[in-house]
Amino acid sequence: MSVEHTWNMAGMRGTGSDTIIADDVFVPEEHVVFPARTALGPSTPRSVPKPQGLMGALAAPVLGMGMGPYDHIVAKLSGGRPLVSAMGSHARAIDSPGVQANVADAAMLIDSAILQAARTARTVDRATRTGTQMSPLAIARSRMDCGFAARQIRQAADKLLDVGGAGRFAESDPAQRIWRDLGTATRHPAFVTEIDREQYARLLLPVLSAQ
């Protein structure tokens, strides 16, 4: 067995997503997972509906990556960082209406993303408890919820970095690492809503499906 180092990315560098190569290895059938089969299989009272359960699991760290830079940058601003512009250094950045507006916007984007992800979590939990299959509409809405929530988190991080100062992009600062991780993670196929929204629209507007 060997590892081929194929994961050379700007972000998510710590995921260990390199390629594992195994020759002449026996793998019992019960240890093999076929995503295409599990996605269509029935739910039981003890199984998590797929792929919605996976999407919820993927959304959770993205939400955390949004909260991280928020706490970090707000702490830096609260510490008295001056407002520096082309006109020179002025009073504390935290006293600037523009900075305050960006922080408020970022907080609302993060809160909204959490609420949307929570709706998906509740829907999946309910299906898991009852052993029922989620409806196609519920599945499509869950995918849209998670994808839209990821986009909101990315927007929030950008707003925070806009007022955090260029110093937040120093390699020693955790904000730039989280920013890179978000840029990579939120472009996972699970969060790409451009395709999912077409299916969502067809389910919201049944007349389209009949054409």
Side-chain angles (χ1 to χ4, degrees):
M1 182 175 293
S2 61
V3 177
E4 184 178 348
H5 297 290
T6 55
W7 188 251
N8 302 306
M9 308 295 290
M12 305 297 292
R13 295 176 179 177
T15 64
S17 301
D18 289 315
T19 301
I20 298 177
I21 301 174
D23 296 316
D24 299 322
V25 175
F26 172 72
V27 180
E29 185 177 358
E30 61 270 20
H31 291 175
V32 179
V33 176
F34 296 94
R37 296 181 187 176
T38 57
L40 299 175
S43 299
T44 67
R46 294 185 179 273
S47 69
V48 176
K50 299 183 176 58
Q52 295 68 243
L54 173 61
M55 289 194 63
L58 289 173
V62 170
L63 297 176
M65 281 189 276
M67 298 177 201
Y70 178 87
D71 292 341
H72 177 66
I73 291 174
V74 167
K76 291 292 184 181
L77 292 171
S78 300
R81 188 182 76 80
L83 180 64
V84 180
S85 68
M87 301 300 293
S89 180
H90 302 284
R92 297 184 310 165
I94 199 172
D95 295 325
S96 165
V99 171
Q100 294 168 3
N102 264 34
V103 171
D105 287 347
M108 290 304 297
L109 284 165
I110 293 170
D111 286 346
S112 178
I114 292 171
L115 290 171
Q116 285 184 289
R119 179 167 70 170
T120 287
R122 288 193 299 270
T123 302
V124 172
D125 285 347
R126 188 180 307 113
T128 302
R129 288 195 307 269
T130 60
T132 57
Q133 282 285 83
M134 292 171 58
S135 69
L137 178 59
I139 292 173
R141 186 180 66 188
S142 294
R143 292 187 64 87
M144 289 298 296
D145 273 350
C146 290
F148 198 69
R151 299 288 176 91
Q152 289 175 303
I153 291 294
R154 198 165 72 206
Q155 291 174 29
D158 283 341
K159 283 184 172 292
L160 291 166
L161 285 163
D162 282 345
V163 298
R168 303 287 73 79
F169 289 90
E171 291 187 354
S172 59
D173 196 287
Q176 57 79 29
R177 174 181 56 79
I178 298 173
W179 175 70
R180 287 186 289 109
D181 288 348
L182 268 175
T184 302
T186 55
R187 288 173 173 85
H188 186 281
F191 301 129
V192 178
T193 59
E194 280 73 12
I195 297 176
D196 292 329
R197 67 184 178 186
E198 179 181 349
Q199 175 65 11
Y200 188 42
R202 290 184 179 277
L203 292 167
L204 289 172
L205 303 168
V207 66
L208 294 176
S209 301
Q211 294 178 353

